[in-house]
Amino acid sequence: MLISKSNYVSYHQCPKQFYLEKHNKDVSLFSMSLKRRIRMGNDVGLLAKSMFSGIKEVDYGESKAMSKKTKSLIDLKVPYISEAAFYINDLFCAVDILQVQDQGLIIYEVKSSSKIKKDYYKDLAFQTHVIQAAGYKVLDAFVIYVNKNYVREDQIDLNSFFIIESVLDQLDNHLLHVKKDVDKMRAMDEEPEFSPVSHCSNCSFNHYCYQDMPKDSIFNLYGFRASKAYHDGMRNFQDLLDNQVSLTIKQKRQIDHFYLDQAMYIDHLSLFDFLNQMIYPLYFLDFETLDFVIPNFKGSKVNQRLPYQASIHYLNQNHSQLIHEDILVLPDQDPRERMIDFLIKNLGVKGHIMVYNQSFEKSIIKDLANQYPQYKKALLDINQRIIDLYDVFKEGMVYMKEFEGSFSIKSVYPALCQSDSYEKLDQVHHGVEAMEGLERLSHLQGEEQGKLIKDLKAYCRLDTLSMVQIYVKLLELING
Ligand code: SF4
């Protein structure tokens, strides 16, 4: 069995993941966000390679052919080789960037992350093992990763954008295990039992492993760290009760509603206080954003979420006027100044601004304020007026069985307002589809682009309209 460096890392993240990659790859499902991360990783890889002058790439192909080509480039003393491949004993690795020196080889592993993760040691230990087995000396091993504090100037300054750090000293212990690990991987002859790990949320087999979880699975309990309980043999809510596991009030409420079919829970006093603080007119605000590891505009940061789309609903005191405004900026343009202008024009200077999960909106506005000092005061004043509608549900003021432990607007709105409006949307139904749609806009033209813009706007509009309707519903609950 051929084992690659990604197989080796995969095995350490989860043995079942490795087994499925080798024996049942068809059941993998790369979510849109996973695919996007892979695309951004490839962009970072290309940028890193541009730092090494005279670099030659080994074309992707059959393992033996790639390693043969690599050997010839090493023999020719080409200073830097990308995708330098080594194949021996049915082990294979393609090094992102290999530096060739008279005394031996230096490995560079490129990552789009902004910190060194434990997986990287496994990755580099495996590469070192294979290269040594192929008869070369490894002089050093570096991780090239992204400086999270980097702010773009006119051009990307590669020396400031990347951090290059030697990890050779940390590999010794990992190197000792490679051979034994590989033997264990080769000896796996049946699919391991499901055993949840922290990597599950980033795994392309997540859908496969979690598809048959019942509604009362411990994985569906709000804010509950299910892995430990799962490893202790518990599977559903009843198991938690039987084992007298310590639960929060909100978790107990979710379980009671599930088993006892209870009516909607309302903490009247807290809900009254929440609603009573509102200062009219009310605004309801939502952004759709794109983030890029490589900042694409002057003054923008690594991984900054840039607001390309916003929707605002305005509601007056006696609810006789509901006005909608929106903006959408194409993804190849810098949206920041246009967004600032839109916010300042449409959010007035008085009245609360309702959002759903305020840390998201507030951080976007704060970044804009820091990057455009001339608007700083106006933007920070907007942040001061923000109220979080999510608090009503997160703080347990209202609960319905239909929420099923999730307080996202996509769970709360259909249940509370008896609406299937999200389902009726055409191309865009949730945030990840909105991101994907926004990115796709720059590749479309004419009617197709127009249709997608319409669908993106309809989605963002519904995000604020649903907040208005939730708010009105909450008032009804209190006022009877
Ligand atoms: S979803 Fe979790 S348990 Fe399943 S293969 Fe992936 S990491 Fe392993």
Side-chain angles (χ1 to χ4, degrees):
M1 179 199 289
L2 178 77
I3 292 182
S4 68
K5 67 171 180 175
S6 58
N7 293 148
Y8 188 72
V9 173
S10 176
Y11 171 78
H12 281 284
Q13 288 167 335
C14 169
K16 186 180 179 83
Q17 176 184 232
F18 160 71
Y19 183 90
L20 290 169
E21 277 171 7
K22 282 291 177 195
H23 302 283
N24 204 358
K25 208 170 169 58
D26 289 352
V27 298
S28 70
L29 190 70
F30 284 80
S31 64
M32 281 178 181
S33 49
L34 210 51
K35 282 188 203 157
R36 189 165 186 271
R37 276 215 302 279
I38 292 169
R39 276 203 307 276
M40 287 204 280
N42 291 340
D43 291 345
V44 170
L46 283 176
L47 197 63
K49 285 171 192 171
S50 70
M51 284 195 291
F52 297 85
S53 59
I55 194 164
K56 287 254 185 311
E57 176 146 345
V58 175
D59 291 336
Y60 181 76
E62 199 266 324
S63 314
K64 281 184 191 157
M66 284 178 78
S67 75
K68 207 168 149 200
K69 176 73 184 166
T70 302
K71 183 174 181 326
S72 69
L73 292 174
I74 293 173
D75 291 346
L76 286 170
K77 299 225 179 310
V78 169
Y80 297 104
I81 306 168
S82 72
E83 303 308 321
F86 298 87
Y87 174 78
I88 186 152
N89 304 333
D90 248 357
L91 302 177
F92 175 79
C93 72
V95 179
D96 288 345
I97 297 161
L98 185 78
Q99 185 176 359
V100 180
Q101 295 204 335
D102 288 340
Q103 306 84 345
L105 305 174
I106 297 174
I107 311 169
Y108 295 88
E109 175 68 20
V110 184
K111 298 292 182 191
S112 57
S113 156
S114 55
K115 62 176 188 223
I116 294 187
K117 298 179 186 167
K118 270 198 270 169
D119 289 352
Y120 304 170
Y121 301 133
K122 294 285 176 205
D123 190 334
L124 279 154
F126 181 82
Q127 295 183 54
T128 303
H129 174 88
V130 177
I131 294 171
Q132 286 173 342
Y136 295 97
K137 186 168 183 195
V138 174
L139 301 174
D140 212 336
F142 291 91
V143 178
I144 302 180
Y145 62 104
V146 172
N147 171 9
K148 68 174 190 296
N149 298 317
Y150 176 71
V151 177
R152 181 176 176 144
E153 293 297 324
D154 284 326
Q155 301 297 325
I156 297 278
D157 173 0
L158 297 178
N159 292 323
S160 306
F161 177 69
F162 284 116
I163 296 173
I164 304 178
E165 197 170 313
S166 171
V167 293
L168 189 69
D169 291 345
Q170 286 91 309
L171 299 187
D172 290 348
N173 190 34
H174 297 281
L175 265 168
L176 295 175
H177 298 278
V178 176
K179 189 171 173 327
K180 233 190 276 170
D181 290 341
V182 166
D183 290 344
K184 278 195 222 156
M185 290 164 79
R186 290 205 165 117
M188 283 172 77
D189 54 5
E190 60 182 42
E191 185 176 328
E193 291 282 309
F194 168 70
S195 172
V197 288
S198 59
H199 177 66
C200 286
S201 55
N202 293 316
C203 175
S204 61
F205 297 101
N206 183 286
H207 164 81
Y208 169 79
C209 287
Y210 286 82
Q211 63 189 333
D212 294 325
M213 295 291 170
K215 285 193 171 172
D216 64 342
S217 159
I218 55 173
F219 293 102
N220 294 330
L221 186 60
Y222 174 74
F224 185 67
R225 290 174 188 270
S227 292
K228 184 177 177 312
Y230 189 91
H231 289 124
D232 289 342
M234 290 171 250
R235 298 290 180 266
N236 55 36
F237 297 167
Q238 190 59 53
D239 292 339
L240 300 177
L241 299 178
D242 293 346
N243 285 280
Q244 297 179 352
V245 172
S246 158
L247 299 168
T248 65
I249 291 173
K250 276 176 271 175
Q251 289 165 346
K252 283 184 194 151
R253 189 173 297 138
Q254 183 185 342
I255 293 175
D256 285 350
H257 275 74
F258 181 82
Y259 286 130
L260 304 176
D261 236 346
Q262 291 184 337
M264 183 192 302
Y265 169 84
I266 306 169
D267 172 352
H268 283 87
L269 204 57
S270 302
L271 184 58
F272 176 82
D273 286 346
F274 177 85
L275 296 171
N276 202 34
Q277 67 183 315
M278 297 304 158
I279 296 173
Y280 280 84
L282 288 180
Y283 298 85
F284 299 79
L285 168 68
D286 183 60
F287 291 124
E288 300 305 328
T289 61
L290 287 175
D291 57 343
F292 300 93
V293 180
I294 305 170
N296 43 2
F297 302 110
K298 186 177 177 183
S300 63
K301 302 187 297 184
V302 166
N303 288 321
Q304 180 178 346
R305 286 177 296 203
L306 294 177
Y308 280 88
Q309 225 192 316
S311 168
I312 293 174
H313 270 93
Y314 160 96
L315 185 66
N316 67 345
Q317 177 105 39
N318 62 13
H319 293 196
S320 60
Q321 229 187 354
L322 181 64
I323 299 170
H324 178 247
E325 300 289 346
D326 65 7
I327 181 173
L328 186 152
V329 181
L330 291 177
D332 45 0
Q333 298 166 17
D334 186 343
R336 291 172 296 171
E337 285 209 72
R338 285 179 61 191
M339 186 56 70
I340 291 171
D341 186 51
F342 173 79
L343 295 175
I344 292 175
K345 253 192 205 137
N346 291 293
L347 287 172
V349 290
K350 181 177 165 277
H352 276 127
I353 300 164
M354 198 98 70
V355 298
Y356 207 90
N357 201 359
Q358 62 178 341
S359 58
F360 178 70
E361 272 78 14
K362 278 189 167 174
S363 71
I364 289 163
I365 293 173
K366 195 169 154 213
D367 280 342
L368 293 176
N370 289 334
Q371 288 165 12
Y372 293 87
Q374 65 273 39
Y375 302 114
K376 190 165 190 163
K377 184 174 178 327
L379 289 167
L380 293 183
D381 284 351
I382 286 174
N383 261 1
Q384 289 290 328
R385 292 160 55 207
I386 284 180
I387 291 241
D388 198 347
L389 187 58
Y390 182 50
D391 281 350
V392 171
F393 306 98
K394 193 182 70 177
E395 299 305 325
M397 297 177 214
V398 174
Y399 188 78
M400 292 173 77
K401 178 183 179 179
E402 290 79 0
F403 294 173
E404 294 179 355
S406 164
F407 305 134
S408 81
I409 203 159
K410 310 295 183 294
S411 302
V412 166
Y413 175 60
L416 194 66
C417 300
Q418 302 284 298
S419 168
D420 60 355
S421 301
Y422 278 104
E423 284 171 36
K424 284 187 183 149
L425 291 170
D426 195 355
Q427 297 183 75
V428 185
H429 306 86
H430 52 74
V432 180
E433 281 182 358
M435 278 178 104
E436 192 269 340
L438 277 168
E439 276 197 314
R440 202 149 43 88
L441 276 181
S442 48
H443 307 293
L444 299 177
Q445 283 179 336
E447 238 178 74
E448 254 188 312
Q449 191 188 60
K451 168 77 175 95
L452 184 52
I453 288 175
K454 196 167 153 245
D455 289 347
L456 282 161
K457 285 188 164 210
Y459 168 73
C460 197
R461 178 179 181 275
L462 183 55
D463 270 351
T464 48
L465 184 63
S466 58
M467 275 194 268
V468 175
Q469 293 178 357
I470 289 171
Y471 171 69
V472 171
K473 183 75 190 177
L474 295 175
L475 285 173
E476 284 170 21
L477 293 179
I478 282 297
N479 297 326

